[in-house]
Amino acid sequence: MKGHAATASTNAAVGGASAADRPWDRFVGRVGAYVALTKPRVIELLLVATIPTMILAADGFPSFWLVLATLIGGYASAGSSGVFNCYIDRDIDSQMKRTKRRPLATGEISGRAALIFGSILGVFSLAWFWFVVNPLSSILTAGAILLYVVGYSLILKRRTSQNIVWGGAAGCMPVLIGWAAVTNKVEWPAILLFLVIFFWTPPHYWPLSIKFRGDYAAAGVPMLPVVASDRTVATQMIGYTIAMVAATIVLWPVAGLSPVYGVSAILLGAWFTWSCIQLLRRAGHPERGKLDAMRVFHGSITYLSALFVMIAVDVILPW
């Protein structure tokens, strides 16, 4: 009986090992690693803003194929930026709990392979926008990649506590690209949408930086929560939030939207501003409870998603 048990155990171990080493499993794992380099969760939020922007620019539903083409190009360009960012930050990613499992930090994918992959995605996105959508969208895409890879990743991230403010401009580009894809122009509504996301970025990202400030400090990245008090961070978040809400309200008449959007923008803005004020109150009076910065982080995602959904709804539905 013991011999049979040992044989069965050995066969199971061999079978398990062979299953793990199957070519298909290795292929799927490698594809998953490359997809992870593109930071799909970040891209998802960026693309959420693109479709409502295109609906606003077209004053209705744009061509399905134009939307699809813009999303394909947008994913490729944002993915290219993400890959280059992972390559540049591979040294600090390995020191941070939140990022230490990224494929370049673990060595699952080599630096050379990542550079080739990122370059292919970037060149594809520029050519795709130029020939399938229009040249202006391709030019704006090139600007977005340069802003994120050179402006943020190479220059700002390790040198200034305001890195995410100016580096975040790259994350605002999808609205300009989406607008240009429809109109072949950049007009005031698109610029205001750019400003909405620009001012939204600090109160969105700084709460995450508060939670992981130890990681950033250990890696030598001077995010504002690393070098400033929670009160200072929360105060600056409120300032950016007020500017963001102002931009959403100015968009109302400039884009010719209805009171449905206007009231929604005011209510959503009041709600998110209050969440930032609550963060400031807890930062100044710890006895009032846990700082709970991640609640503001998740709330910022809900806020931006709801705002852009209301833009689309306002345009589509006859009020």
Side-chain angles (χ1 to χ4, degrees), residues 22 68-69 116 120 130-132 140-141 157 161 182 186 205 222 236 242 244-245 249 257 266 275 284 306 316:
R22 283 197 298 257
L68 181 62
I116 293 172
I120 291 172
W130 187 281
F131 293 108
V132 179
L140 291 170
T141 297
K157 185 170 182 176
S161 62
V182 173
V186 173
Y205 201 84
Q236 291 196 29
I242 292 172
M244 174 192 71
V245 174
I249 294 173
L257 294 166
I266 292 170
S275 71
I316 293 169

Side-chain angles (χ1 to χ4, degrees), residues 188-212:
W188 280 110
I191 294 172
L192 285 168
L193 289 171
F194 178 97
L195 291 175
V196 168
I197 300 178
F198 179 80
F199 292 129
W200 168 85
T201 301
H204 162 67
Y205 201 84
W206 279 338
L208 185 68
S209 303
I210 289 174
K211 179 175 177 60
F212 295 103

Side-chain angles (χ1 to χ4, degrees), residues 110-133:
S110 69
R112 180 175 180 274
L115 285 177
I116 293 172
F117 180 50
S119 299
I120 291 172
L121 284 177
V123 170
F124 168 79
S125 69
L126 296 178
W128 178 268
F129 272 117
W130 187 281
F131 293 108
V132 179
V133 183

Side-chain angles (χ1 to χ4, degrees), residues 11 24 63 79 84 95 108 123 139 144 188 237 251 296:
N11 288 338
W24 175 251
S63 160
F84 284 124
Q95 302 177 50
E108 185 176 1
V123 170
I139 293 169
W188 280 110
M237 285 171 58
L251 178 68
V296 183

Side-chain angles (χ1 to χ4, degrees), residues 90-102:
R90 65 194 185 282
D91 59 331
I92 60 176
D93 282 348
S94 63
Q95 302 177 50
M96 298 173 64
K97 294 178 183 177
R98 186 172 65 90
T99 57
K100 67 181 181 181
R101 290 188 176 89
R102 286 179 177 172

Side-chain angles (χ1 to χ4, degrees), residues 38 40 42-55 61-80 121 124-126 128-129 132-134 137 141 173-182 308:
T38 66
V42 175
I43 294 170
E44 181 182 318
L45 183 61
L46 298 179
L47 297 184
V48 162
T50 302
I51 296 176
T53 297
M54 296 180 74
I55 291 173
F61 284 109
S63 160
F64 170 79
W65 297 110
L66 178 61
V67 173
L68 181 62
T70 304
L71 294 182
I72 291 172
Y75 185 93
S77 64
S80 173
L121 284 177
F124 168 79
S125 69
L126 296 178
W128 178 268
F129 272 117
V132 179
V133 183
N134 58 44
S137 63
T141 297
M173 294 300 287
V175 294
L176 296 185
I177 294 167
W179 191 278
V182 173
F308 275 86

Side-chain angles (χ1 to χ4, degrees), residues 257-295:
L257 294 166
S258 79
V260 172
Y261 163 79
V263 172
S264 300
I266 292 170
L267 293 177
L268 285 168
W271 166 70
F272 187 62
T273 302
W274 177 246
S275 71
C276 292
I277 291 172
Q278 289 287 81
L279 185 69
L280 175 61
R281 293 176 68 189
R282 289 191 294 271
H285 300 278
E287 70 277 5
R288 292 180 176 175
K290 188 174 68 171
L291 193 62
D292 204 7
M294 290 302 288
R295 179 182 295 181

